[in-house]
Amino acid sequence: MGVEPENTLRSFVAAEQAGLDVVELDLHLSKDGALVVMHDADVDRTTDGAGAIADKTLEELRALDAGRGERVPVFEEVLDAVSVPVQAEIKDVAAARTLAEVILRRDLVDRVEVISFHDEAIVEIARLVPGVRTALVAEHYGPEVVDRAVAAGAATLCLDINRITLEVVERARKAGLRVLCWTVNTQDHLRLVRALGLDGATTDYPEIKRTGRFTA
């Protein structure tokens, strides 16, 4: 998020306090199988450490500074820190299986929407957690992305604002899909969201909530 260190408890609490409707986070598996919250596959950009998340244990990840003294959180810490709904992005099938266990154990089907760039991860989480809401995320796409989402059983498309077109939105509507976009940090992008009649958008800046409804 743009005003706090990204993917930290501090950022999620700030987003909720700013009145945003949903928080979006990214999940990876540590070497010992913990669901850790971080965007990149390695820790280099967002912490004082270096190396791949998958090569580090949870204890090793916890020892890192994720910004302003914050530590790398695990998924369940975020759930306990905020009360708003959560969009959880998973990177692979292995993370889907671990996330499914948490959703089922904590009865989170109504609170957590699972999103992914990877069709197979969406299919797997839906198989493991009947009734879970899913969304396909896409950065490089054309109208065929609608068919991909339908085939994967997703109810929502999360699309890069820089590539979105009226054709894609109209095809998605005809298929019964919700359409969100990312990342909306400027007024020009906000105007486009409204012009296309989208269902919502992701932003790095909670203050934009004053002019729309978004996730962060």
Side-chain angles (χ1 to χ4, degrees), residues 45-64:
R45 181 177 63 86
T46 57
T47 78
D48 60 350
I53 296 171
D55 292 336
K56 298 182 183 298
T57 65
L58 179 58
E59 183 178 3
E60 290 171 330
L61 291 166
R62 293 291 228 179
L64 303 176

Side-chain angles (χ1 to χ4, degrees), residues 67-215:
R68 301 184 189 177
E70 290 287 300
R71 64 181 182 177
V72 177
V74 295
F75 179 54
E76 293 193 65
E77 283 184 314
V78 179
L79 295 173
D80 294 336
V82 299
S83 59
V84 293
V86 173
Q87 272 190 340
E89 181 181 335
I90 49 176
K91 308 299 183 178
D92 54 34
V93 170
R97 292 168 182 158
T98 305
L99 177 59
E101 186 276 327
V102 176
I103 292 174
L104 291 170
R105 173 166 49 81
R106 296 189 53 154
D107 191 22
L108 298 171
V109 173
D110 292 333
R111 184 180 176 197
V112 175
E113 179 180 31
V114 182
I115 70 176
S116 184
F117 282 91
H118 306 289
D119 308 47
E120 64 274 13
I122 293 174
V123 171
E124 181 69 358
I125 194 78
R127 182 184 72 82
L128 295 170
V129 186
V132 70
R133 291 171 295 123
T134 60
L136 178 67
V137 189
E139 181 175 14
H140 304 292
Y141 60 87
E144 77 288 341
V145 73
V146 174
D147 299 327
R148 283 180 54 203
V150 171
T156 301
L157 274 171
C158 298
L159 303 175
D160 184 348
I161 187 69
N162 294 303
R163 294 182 61 89
I164 199 164
T165 65
L166 179 59
E167 179 187 5
V168 170
V169 174
E170 289 179 340
R171 285 192 62 172
R173 296 293 188 214
K174 289 179 181 177
L177 300 174
R178 297 172 67 241
V179 182
L180 310 179
C181 64
W182 53 274
T183 304
V184 175
N185 290 337
T186 70
Q187 289 299 315
D188 284 344
H189 282 162
L190 179 59
R191 282 188 283 271
L192 180 58
V193 169
R194 289 175 163 170
L196 293 173
L198 303 187
D199 296 287
T202 300
T203 183
D204 293 321
Y205 298 100
E207 61 268 22
I208 208 168
K209 175 67 158 59
R210 293 193 297 270
T211 49
R213 294 176 64 83
F214 300 97
T215 66

